[in-house]
Every structure is written in structure tokens, then in C-alpha cells.
Amino acid sequence: IQRIAVVGATCFLAVPVVKALVEAGYTVRGLIRDEAKAKKLLPDALELVAADLHKPETLEAGLQGQDAVYLNLTTETNRLDLPWYQEREGVRTVVEAAQKNELRHIYKIGGAWPKEIKVTSAIIPRGGNCAIHDSGIPYIIFDPTMFFETLERQIKADSLQWIGPTTGFKFWWVAVDDYAAQVVAAVNDPRANNRHYVVQGPELLTVQHAVDRFKAVYNPKLKIKTLPLFVAKLLGFLNAEIAFLAHIYGGFNQFNDEEFNAKDTWDDLGKPQITAEEFGRRLKKKGSSLA
């Protein structure tokens, strides 16, 4: 594997993966819709090709000459009755284009939601995963739960905003840079075929502990503001984005302490090293626009 196309390359979880692949010497092609956004976020070395999940012919053309494809697609609605979703019909379209181009591998970021938690981000991707499983193309699906970058995205001015409780359940928080390193390690590893890898970080923390340790380094003056889940659900009747966030954070709140299931991932692809404090240091050094 040398030439890898990326679908969803401008997503905040995909950009570090693209950069890591480029730095590792792979030839990466971004299949993108917004050229201006892609040029702003992605390395100059990246080849950019216009493609649209709703237009199969553009994906077939975009995957020509590639060895593999990496998918970073999302489900950003709380509705289960829609006829089309990126992570189901969109994935199926990419798989068909990959088959026509005789690609050698499919990589995809998924999620490690327990089966008992009924959120769209857990239910909808199963259809896309089935298409990958049945494609006849070797695959890896990476299944993370909670990224430290979620904290960064919740910073608004001088506060970090969260929906629902911040204590009572714990996650194995992971940084996307550590995840990106695991993706790079998986490419061309003969052990990494036709399997799911659970992605978990080095420490089991509540949201509150993760926030406290992150902000102590990043910005001790950062205020924590929590919105009760029932209030978010009420506001969701007026705003579809808030409705989706309430839906997802409601799913988080159904977790018990997350079980550790990443031993095989660590053994094969390396153990994540970035802690909450280290993530805060890196974000502060980077000079995030959110600081």
C-alpha cells in the first residue's frame, strides 16, 4: 500500500490522520467537496480531487490509481427515518467505487458504542460496516469512544461547555495524534486485516477529571459550564443541532465505566501516550484559535 485516498479528509478527526500518513511517506489524495477548506486545513503535498458521495461517478474517478481508501464519515442527526446517511448509503457508495477500482484495502473510523446504547451514531454505521465486511476487500475499522479533542471543540470564549453530568462514568480518553499514529502503523501490517481495532487512550477518567487536568495546563481560568440534559432536549425542539448534541450526550450518560478492550490494538499498533495534561500543553503550544 502506497497510495491512499481519504474521504472526509477535512473532518477534525481526519486532518491529523492525513498529516501522519503524508509524514510517513504515503501518497495521499483527498476526495473533497470544498477546495478552499481543504487547502486551508490539509498539507500542501496532498492531491485534491473533487468528489461527492451523492455522485458515484466522481468517487469512481477519484479512486482510480489508488491502493486503499480511508473513510471518515459522520452521522449528525438524531433521526433514524431518513433515506440516506453518510455512514450507511455513503459508505456503500464508496465500497462500490473501491470494488470497481480493485482497491487493496479499506480503512474506516467507526465507534465503540455498546450495543445497548441506542444512538444514531451507533445504529446507522452498522449498515456501512456490513457493506465493508461483505466487500471482499481487506479492511480495518477503528473503533474509538472519547477523544480529548471533544474538549477543545466545546470551548467557547472563556468557558468549556458540556451537556449533562461530568461525573459518574469514565472513558479511556485518547488524543487524535495517538490515533493517527495507530492508523499509520496499521497500513501494511499483515496482522491488520479484516478486523476491528478498539481505540482507547492510556487513562480512565471521568469528564470532570479530564477537564480539570486539561485546563490546569491549557488555561486554569477556563470556566466549566454544564447544561442539564433535559434542558438541552427541550431546546432541541427548536434547534436540530442541539437536538443531535442532546441525543449524543445522552448516549454518553448511559455508559458505565468504559471497559478496557484495546490490548490487541496496543500490542499491534502501539500504546497511546498523550495524557490530559499533555494534550493541554500541545493545544496551548499550537496556539489554538479556541484559546
Side-chain angles (χ1 to χ4, degrees):
I1 303 294
Q2 176 58 38
R3 295 162 296 185
I4 303 174
V6 179
V7 179
T10 58
C11 174
F12 78 102
L13 293 177
V15 171
V17 172
V18 169
K19 292 179 178 178
L21 288 169
V22 170
E23 290 172 1
Y26 292 99
T27 302
V28 184
R29 173 184 291 176
L31 304 188
I32 52 96
R33 289 183 300 171
D34 187 333
E35 183 176 359
K37 182 179 180 181
K39 287 183 176 180
K40 180 180 178 180
L41 295 175
L42 299 171
D44 293 338
L46 204 72
E47 178 189 9
L48 301 178
V49 175
D52 191 320
L53 291 172
H54 292 280
K55 299 177 180 178
E57 69 278 5
T58 65
L59 290 170
E60 292 173 23
L63 292 181
Q64 287 181 4
Q66 301 301 291
D67 299 319
V69 61
Y70 176 89
L71 290 82
N72 192 129
L73 301 175
T74 58
T75 298
E76 296 184 348
T77 177
N78 61 334
R79 294 180 56 182
L80 288 169
D81 59 346
L82 300 178
W84 193 94
Y85 298 87
Q86 280 191 18
E87 287 193 277
R88 190 177 67 195
E89 284 72 23
V91 170
R92 290 170 180 165
T93 302
V94 175
V95 168
E96 291 173 2
Q99 290 171 320
K100 291 180 179 179
N101 280 283
E102 299 183 346
L103 263 61
R104 294 165 52 196
H105 224 294
I106 296 174
Y107 308 99
K108 176 181 178 289
I109 185 170
W113 291 96
K115 291 182 179 180
E116 64 270 17
I117 297 180
K118 307 300 183 184
V119 296
T120 52
S121 294
I123 297 169
I124 297 302
R126 292 171 190 162
N129 288 350
C130 285
I132 293 173
H133 296 159
D134 296 339
S135 67
I137 301 173
Y139 66 85
I140 303 172
I141 297 176
F142 301 93
D143 290 324
T145 301
M146 188 67 80
F147 283 99
F148 282 123
E149 282 71 15
T150 305
L151 301 180
E152 178 186 4
R153 290 172 64 82
Q154 298 309 116
I155 297 174
K156 310 295 181 184
D158 63 347
S159 66
L160 189 152
Q161 302 174 5
W162 196 265
I163 297 175
T166 57
T167 60
F169 48 90
K170 299 177 181 179
F171 299 102
W172 291 92
W173 293 76
V174 68
V176 69
D177 284 344
D178 274 337
Y179 164 65
Q182 291 180 332
V183 173
V184 171
V187 178
N188 287 316
D189 186 330
R191 297 170 297 182
N193 280 320
N194 299 332
R195 64 186 302 174
H196 285 246
Y197 276 118
V198 175
V199 178
Q200 294 176 311
E203 296 178 300
L204 185 67
L205 302 170
T206 65
V207 174
Q208 190 64 54
H209 287 154
V211 169
D212 288 345
R213 291 171 57 175
F214 159 73
K215 78 165 195 167
V217 176
Y218 175 69
N219 179 3
K221 296 182 179 180
L222 195 67
K223 300 175 183 177
I224 312 303
K225 295 182 179 179
T226 58
L227 181 68
L229 187 59
F230 78 91
V231 175
K233 289 180 177 180
L234 290 174
L235 294 173
F237 287 107
L238 303 175
N239 184 294
E241 182 179 356
I242 294 177
F244 171 67
L245 290 173
H247 177 67
I248 293 300
Y249 281 82
F252 291 156
N253 295 335
Q254 295 175 45
F255 269 80
N256 296 312
D257 290 355
E258 184 182 5
E259 294 182 8
F260 180 73
N261 293 304
K263 184 181 184 303
D264 287 347
T265 311
W266 291 12
D267 288 346
D268 291 355
L269 309 180
K271 178 181 176 180
Q273 300 296 320
I274 298 172
T275 62
E277 290 88 352
E278 178 61 20
F279 177 72
R281 288 188 198 97
R282 293 187 179 201
L283 188 60
K284 185 176 183 178
K285 183 178 180 180
K286 186 175 70 174
S288 171
S289 59
L290 297 175

